[in-house]
Amino acid sequence: MTSSSSDEKLLILLALKNKKKRRKWVHEINEKREEFGEFHHLCKELSTYEDRFVNYFRMTLEKFEEIHELVSPRILKLKTNWRKPIGTKERLAICLR
């Protein structure tokens, strides 16, 4: 083994050791929002029980949908290659809650 190849191996090992750990753009908890999130479970279930929906949001489902139609163009976010945005109904539910 020549000294130049061992030097190259040493440089590669040093470069790998000093490589910075990449940070994630979206936290693991937020990646699992659709699986475990309140909106995707509770709010969908509340839609089937009108009285529970009214008690939770203090408005009827029809009123919620009407407000959603009014504000959805303003609160819509674009989908990118890096992350999926929070949906407009979920944003409205968070705001009202």
Side-chain angles (χ1 to χ4, degrees):
M1 192 183 297
T2 65
S3 68
S4 65
S5 68
S6 63
D7 289 343
E8 288 175 11
K9 287 181 182 179
L10 183 62
L11 287 174
I12 291 171
L13 287 174
L14 284 173
L16 290 175
K17 183 180 177 185
N18 293 334
K19 186 177 179 181
K20 288 184 180 181
K21 188 175 180 180
R22 289 188 175 226
R23 291 179 47 194
K24 290 187 116 184
W25 191 267
V26 179
H27 196 272
E28 292 92 20
I29 293 172
N30 295 331
E31 286 179 344
K32 298 176 183 178
R33 185 180 69 243
E34 291 181 5
E35 272 182 79
F36 303 113
E38 179 180 358
F39 177 77
H40 296 283
H41 287 281
L42 178 64
C43 294
K44 302 279 184 188
E45 194 171 322
L46 286 174
S47 299
T48 60
Y49 303 105
E50 184 69 29
D51 59 328
R52 296 284 184 170
F53 189 90
V54 170
N55 191 30
Y56 191 78
F57 285 111
R58 303 291 189 219
M59 66 177 66
T60 63
L61 181 59
E62 293 80 26
K63 192 59 136 175
F64 180 87
E65 292 294 335
E66 183 181 329
I67 292 171
H68 177 257
E69 285 183 32
L70 292 171
V71 300
S72 63
R74 292 178 172 238
I75 62 175
L76 179 67
K77 299 292 180 182
L78 296 176
K79 185 177 180 180
T80 66
N81 292 334
W82 294 282
R83 60 183 165 196
K84 185 179 174 187
I86 297 173
T88 55
K89 284 192 177 184
E90 188 174 359
R91 284 178 180 273
L92 180 59
I94 290 167
C95 179
L96 292 174
R97 188 65 182 137

